Amino acid sequence: MKKILIIHTGGTISMLENKETGEIRPVKEHPLSNISKHFTDSLIIDEQVLFDLPSPQITPQHMLKLANEIEKLIPSYDGFIVTHGTDTLEETAYFLDLVLKTNKPVILTGAMRSSNEIGSDALHNLLSSIRVASEGEAREKGVLVVMNDEIHLAENVTKTSTSNVATFQSPQFGPIGILTKEKIIFHRTRLSHTTFKINNMSNDDVILLKAYSGMNEQLFKAVHKSNPRGIVIEALGQGNLPKDTVQALKEIIQDRIPVVLVSRCFKGNVQPAYGYDGGGKQLNELGIIFADGLTGPKARIKLIIALEMSKDVELIKKMFIT
Ligand code: ASP
């Protein structure tokens, strides 16, 4: 008989709507506790509340606590489900994907509409996640996100709509699988998956900046002054920046502060293609680390983890190309 553990962390899936004010708020008892009644005797489902936080309040330290909790319980369960607010769900999912070394299914899910709202997706997403977590084919895929009848790799998925239930999408590659009433269909697999072992999460002063037309060195200078441990930039297109940012970046790099570059486009890879001032080729030659296929928030999570393992910019660069 398979044993599944649900770990609640908060978010809309743990909240209810106040019918008088329309406000969505946390409640004392989890609205979806006692989920076992929806399944036959073939599953044992345990649950625990680790946090009860709206996900904007989830920090990398919470993520590490969650990872440690799962790691401790890996021998006792066949699969894990984490319920989480959708705002930062993709960051927690990617963090767990980078640090958990297990071939057992670990699924994150949430809800766009709380349990007592019309058209709520809360119960449906939790039931779907239990189905996926108990499915043999969900093994060896790293951390998965199950929402709205789709299964996504943590690495690829992002929240695309503020309120639509079809918010979670993997823009570059699409979902790795889907659920129908009767079946779970995986239509591709995962070719490689590297994990990193970390024991601590120190203060996470790793900064994320987004490039824009007319950007100059002002923000970079201010950030440099604050002495960050690392910087991630969501650059333009294939990985370019306005030329007036370059001098400040040079000074940051001279101070051995790792600078990681992704694109603000939600599809495609960054590459050192352009040779003009501020172009990707020049930025690459300066020592900026190009991170392929990650969003800014995910590259930041990876940089925080990389900095836990080493302060050496060359080693950090290697971690980004594995
Ligand atoms: N603001 C909520 C949160 O992330 C949204 C949600 O859970 O869907 O906690």
Side-chain angles (χ1 to χ4, degrees), residues 11-12 15 54-56 85-87 111-112 159:
T12 301
M15 299 181 192
S55 75
T86 59
D87 289 351
M112 297 302 287
K159 184 175 181 177

Side-chain angles (χ1 to χ4, degrees), residues 13-224:
I13 194 164
S14 301
M15 299 181 192
L16 289 177
E17 182 184 43
N18 177 322
K19 292 294 175 193
E20 273 155 37
T21 62
E23 234 178 295
I24 320 285
R25 288 196 66 87
V27 283
K28 275 213 179 98
E29 198 186 327
H30 198 284
L32 300 178
S33 57
N34 202 8
I35 195 86
S36 314
K37 65 174 185 283
H38 294 274
F39 290 88
T40 57
D41 299 339
S42 60
L43 277 183
I44 297 174
I45 303 170
D46 291 339
E47 58 186 315
Q48 60 156 286
V49 177
L50 187 63
F51 317 118
D52 191 10
L53 291 172
S55 75
Q57 291 169 28
I58 296 276
T59 64
Q61 287 74 33
H62 292 110
M63 295 175 197
L64 182 63
K65 190 165 176 200
L66 174 60
N68 289 342
E69 184 66 13
I70 295 175
E71 200 157 77
K72 183 178 86 191
L73 295 168
I74 281 172
S76 315
Y77 289 93
D78 300 293
F80 296 84
I81 294 158
V82 176
T83 70
H84 197 287
T86 59
D87 289 351
T88 60
L89 185 147
E90 66 204 67
E91 282 156 89
T92 300
Y94 186 55
F95 178 90
L96 295 177
D97 192 55
L98 289 175
V99 302
L100 285 179
K101 202 170 168 56
T102 175
N103 54 14
K104 295 184 179 176
V106 178
I107 317 284
L108 269 86
T109 194
M112 297 302 287
R113 297 178 191 147
S114 62
S115 295
N116 64 342
E117 285 178 81
I118 294 171
S120 172
D121 52 341
L123 178 61
H124 185 79
N125 286 339
L126 185 54
L127 294 177
S128 301
S129 301
I130 295 170
R131 286 177 59 204
V132 177
S134 46
E135 161 72 40
E137 261 200 85
R139 292 170 69 94
E140 316 266 5
K141 303 241 174 350
V143 173
L144 301 171
V145 172
V146 173
M147 295 273 296
N148 198 39
D149 292 337
E150 291 185 342
I151 309 165
H152 296 265
L153 289 181
E155 199 178 36
N156 300 151
V157 75
T158 191
K159 184 175 181 177
T160 62
S161 160
T162 54
S163 56
N164 196 304
V165 292
T167 185
F168 281 94
Q169 293 181 25
S170 299
Q172 176 100 313
F173 302 110
I176 188 171
I178 56 164
L179 293 101
T180 68
K181 249 188 167 167
E182 295 185 334
K183 288 186 195 158
I184 293 169
I185 305 161
F186 281 96
H187 51 77
R188 61 188 166 88
T189 190
R190 189 168 193 186
L191 296 179
S192 65
H193 180 204
T194 308
T195 55
F196 303 96
K197 174 105 192 95
I198 53 163
N199 299 318
N200 290 306
M201 284 299 271
S202 39
N203 213 3
D204 39 297
D205 43 1
V206 174
I207 309 290
L208 171 60
L209 296 175
K210 188 169 194 145
Y212 49 86
S213 130
M215 190 181 206
N216 59 23
E217 48 185 25
Q218 187 185 12
L219 270 179
F220 291 103
K221 283 200 153 159
V223 166
H224 193 180

